[in-house]
Amino acid sequence: MKFTEGMWRIREGIRIDWMNNVERLNIENETVDLLLNKFQRHRGDTLNSATISAQVTSPLEGIIGVKLVHWAGGIGKGPHYELNQSTGHVKIEHQENEALRYNSGSLDLAVRTVQNELDFVFSSATNNKKKKLTGHSWRSIGYIGDQTTEKSRWDDGIFFERQGYMLAALDLGVGEKVYGLGERFGPFIKNGQTVDIWNEDGGTSSELAYKNIPFYLSSAGYGVFVNHPGKVSLELQSERTTRVNISVPGEELEYFVIYGDTPKDILDRYTALTGRPSLVPAWSYNLWLTTSFTTNYDEKTVTGFLDGFRDRDIPLGVFHFDCFWMKSYQWCDFEFDSAMFPDAAGYIKRLKERGLRISVWLNPYVGQASPLFKEGKEKGYFIKRTDGSVWQWDYWQAGMAIVDFTNPSAREWFQRHLQRLLDLGIDSFKTDFGERIPYRNISYHDTSVDPSRMHNYYTLLFNELCYTTLQSHDPTNRSAAVLFARSTAAGGQKFPIHWGGDCESTYEAMAESLRGCLSLSLSGFVFWASDIGGFEGTPPPDVYKRWVQFGLLSTHSRLHGSHSFRVPWIYGEDCSEVLRECVRRKIALTPYLLANAIQGGRRGTPVMRPLLLEFPEDLNAWAVDTVYMLGDALLVAPVFSADGEVTFYVPRAAAEEESEGHDAKWVSWFDHAKTYEGGRWYTETHGFDSLPLLIRPGAVVPVNFSLKRPEDDPLVGLEVLVNGPLKEEVQVEVVDPVRAHEVLKVVNLKGAADGEVSADVEGVKVTRIL
């Protein structure tokens, strides 16, 4: 939110109390409390003006938090993000009336305490060199009073009130770029944008987003996490060109600066703070097919689709029933529509006999026509209006109510219905919506929560309940559960996976979906998918085939549309051929994908990642948003044109990837004789049997071309592709496809003087591709 007009003017109706001085401070254990006030000329300036208390803490090494509080008399309503903490890593130095130095590992905060010279400087302290990261310079901490809202009444006289906001403006350096803030479909670089952290169902072609995460990553070597579950407004060089202005309504704001030597290190610390990503079973990497949304379907239709895949020898792992598996107007009642599926239990059994996993669509709403509505109303399971009535509207399901997940009894009730589905043989839930949550004139069962703070947070409760219910069926297997979730908030990486929402059937929508993926990946989300072919509209055959290529080089791959089916032969039998080859390639890559995913679970590194995450030393990589790395070794450049022309950047290989007497080259997956030099742009034209898919210099890629399904034994037929000679021994982790959080076998690769590479596990084939 903008409060100023240029450097000097403040918007009409706005008052800002700027903090310019440290009045006093107190140090206790690893916490520093500072009292900030306005410019002080004499003792009279302490009257009739605001102060802000600033508390400095460090929850984990390399992370420093600043909590700014105007009035501390509030109730402190939740919800609150769950953050991990430790102690024993802080050092504090204080020179009275001069400066305070607060150190946490390689991160320093220096606070200038000379009278009327308030200054915060965050800096890195590595290799005995200090480098400023960010900080608060002149007029960058303030309390806002807005008298243009309904809260302000002139007849209140001396007790006239203003809507309050806390404002913290963090400095940006020359050339500094900002990324992340959840799954955002607009420009990848966020400089110049206004971003509100507020979940909305806006599709993929606007500034609205389903997955808003109040965390951004800077090219200067740090990240910032705003610890606030409600609306957070960020002006990213859009109000002051030298700052990120962060504001929240109310009386307090807390943020954490997170340092890392590399972007991966920053994500490591961020996910250590907000929660490590959970892993998902290998079967979920297979192709998913859905009924699509508003299409007409029954048992005969579904069976015909499955027979079509079988007859064309196209691997298929998961079948998903979208909304109309239930009767219209009754979502959600957790019952298969008997008119379309007269023997649901028997049919699910027959589908599973085909080797399929089954997914069903859910949302946290209950339509008034549902038999469950009356029970939910009588037992108080729904969000209510402040007058005690059930909150309802018609904008989705007629008269629908929303389950109140702050009510333990409502959670148990919802979970019992989920359990019925699991007993029926359902393997996964698509948790749709969760972002259309009211926040005005409503109340929750848990009166300690603020509805405006619950708007974003609600989806975490929804996804967590569904995820833990799935997990309970195999509690010893930490990677047994998988959702297909649309909305989320900070910490949502613990309940994977997430897909990009409603996109159109165009190349532009395909590109914006990729931008959304890359932004979300910089918030610690390891897995992602899109609606292959686009959701809205019917894709032309070329868009369908190009999206198939992209979608099968994503961690998760689902054919899904709105009013038209996405089975390939509808668009031409050549589409079936493209899909078959792309699915087979992805299944062959299962050992590689699982190995990268397990690293993501350990450190928060996404499997689909922007080039900047893997090549931070290449400054060109920081601007690229149409090319991505799939894991640490494969570069993917999707084709976004009807004529097959694609322009893509190949990043420079790091010095350590180069060997004496061997030029480090990227190699085409499809033609190992075709090589590329790093640090260059290329333009190529590709048919539908290929795309730019390159293997990194020095890469070691475990594959298995004999796999029929991702969950098959990875060791039987395992092959390791090696690009270039190995200077030292390399370990390849082969992940258990059933317990995907565990390593099944470690294969050690060793290079010989003649450039040959051998493996220490019998039966493992090693192939030098350059």
Side-chain angles (χ1 to χ4, degrees), residues 95 145 241 249 348 411 430 464 471 477 494 597 665:
Q95 294 176 280
T241 60
I348 296 298
R411 290 199 300 270
K430 172 182 171 181
E464 180 181 27
Q471 192 72 51
N477 187 351
K494 294 179 287 188
K665 300 284 188 181

Side-chain angles (χ1 to χ4, degrees), residues 564-635:
S564 57
F565 299 117
R566 291 291 178 266
V567 292
W569 52 89
I570 290 178
Y571 306 94
E573 285 300 340
D574 59 329
C575 295
S576 298
E577 295 172 9
V578 171
L579 180 60
R580 179 172 55 250
E581 293 309 308
C582 288
V583 178
R584 286 177 175 174
R585 178 172 59 242
K586 185 180 181 186
I587 292 175
L589 282 168
T590 300
Y592 171 74
L593 294 173
L594 291 177
N596 275 275
I598 205 169
Q599 290 296 329
R602 292 167 182 165
R603 300 194 63 211
T605 305
V607 176
M608 298 175 71
R609 57 191 76 162
L611 299 187
L612 67 88
L613 204 58
E614 202 62 43
F615 302 94
E617 71 286 346
D618 185 345
L619 298 184
N620 293 317
W622 289 81
V624 178
D625 61 5
T626 55
V627 180
Y628 64 97
M629 292 296 293
L630 181 64
D632 59 355
L634 298 180
L635 179 145

Side-chain angles (χ1 to χ4, degrees), residues 417-458:
H417 289 293
L418 296 179
Q419 188 62 53
R420 287 198 296 107
L421 294 174
L422 297 184
D423 293 342
L424 196 63
I426 303 304
D427 300 285
S428 179
F429 301 130
K430 172 182 171 181
T431 51
D432 208 353
F433 290 84
E435 67 279 333
R436 288 185 181 178
I437 306 301
Y439 59 97
R440 287 180 176 154
N441 303 316
I442 67 165
S443 63
Y444 284 89
H445 174 83
D446 182 353
T447 58
S448 71
V449 302
D450 178 349
S452 65
R453 292 169 66 93
M454 276 294 295
H455 172 82
N456 290 341
Y457 195 88
Y458 180 91

Side-chain angles (χ1 to χ4, degrees), residues 74-89:
I75 298 176
K77 287 194 169 185
H80 304 282
Y81 288 129
E82 296 179 0
L83 304 180
N84 299 311
Q85 300 184 50
S86 66
T87 58
H89 52 268

